[in-house]
Amino acid sequence: MNRTTHARSGAPRLRVGGLLPLTTIDYPGELAAVVFCQGCPWRCRYCQNGSLIGSAAESPIPWPEVMAFLERRRGLLDAVVFSGGEPTLQSGLPAAMRAVRGLGFKVGLHTAGPYPSRLAAILPLLDWVALDIKALPADYGAITGVAGSGARAWESLRVLQAAGVDLEVRTTALPGWGPDDLRRLAAALARAGVSHYAVQACRTRQVLDPTLPAPNVPLERLATSIDLQPFTQLTLRAE
């Protein structure tokens, strides 16, 4: 890979752990490709992308190959979503987003919000964001294994709300949760001004923590506790 190729790609340092060529569900209403970015600072118990956690892992897909693929899909795809891992971990993300916008694609982001200031810096490059809010701030450490992670995630929510970016907040229902746990979280999100909320079932196959039990309360039952009135859209995503 020569320097000319690096310069043309616009993001020589982006480590890509995977590429999904086509999806209809990762950016609502758009045909999109998903770029899975390598590296994450958290170790969430229910994470199913364990291979993407290591930030020093070698990128199996060079960024110029991603750009070449996207150039061939101009006019066929609407958007590119940066997912992970945690995309905002990487310093090459802004340049990658600018390169994608230069091809005429909308830019989406899946993030858990561990770096609020980095998220704020890339807001002008974003068309849509899915923010993973895992729990109330005080309960984050039991999920991520990292002290203070809840404060950072909820600060990222405030950054996105203040910016008015098109936003969906997502929660994975942790095994062991009852209706009251989800009700309290949904109420806090409603007070924060969240209007588009998605709750997804926890799949416990091939998760980072093999001791994580299977969910014992169906997602539909958990969701009956949520006050629907504050939300413009509430989506349930079962396995």
Side-chain angles (χ1 to χ4, degrees), residues 58-70:
E58 193 69 27
S59 174
I61 305 176
W63 176 252
E65 290 187 14
V66 176
M67 286 295 291
F69 165 80
L70 293 175

Side-chain angles (χ1 to χ4, degrees), residues 121-157:
I122 60 173
L123 285 173
L125 302 172
L126 295 172
D127 297 293
W128 173 81
V129 177
L131 175 66
D132 183 18
I133 292 291
K134 303 173 186 298
L136 293 171
D139 299 328
Y140 254 71
I143 299 174
T144 66
V146 177
S149 51
R152 284 183 273 163
W154 282 76
E155 176 60 25
S156 289
L157 174 59

Side-chain angles (χ1 to χ4, degrees), residues 140-224:
Y140 254 71
I143 299 174
T144 66
V146 177
S149 51
R152 284 183 273 163
W154 282 76
E155 176 60 25
S156 289
L157 174 59
R158 287 187 283 272
V159 166
L160 292 167
Q161 291 289 92
V165 66
D166 193 7
L167 172 66
E168 178 182 272
V169 172
R170 299 175 172 181
T171 296
T172 297
L174 188 68
W177 273 7
D180 284 348
D181 298 291
L182 186 57
R183 176 185 57 77
R184 285 191 292 268
L185 176 56
L189 291 170
R191 290 193 298 272
V194 171
S195 60
H196 289 68
Y197 187 37
V199 182
Q200 49 201 28
C202 182
R203 295 176 292 172
T204 54
R205 295 190 301 272
Q206 297 179 332
V207 293
L208 200 61
D209 179 0
T211 69
L212 193 68
N216 59 354
V217 181
L219 183 63
E220 292 77 10
R221 181 182 163 197
L222 286 175
T224 60

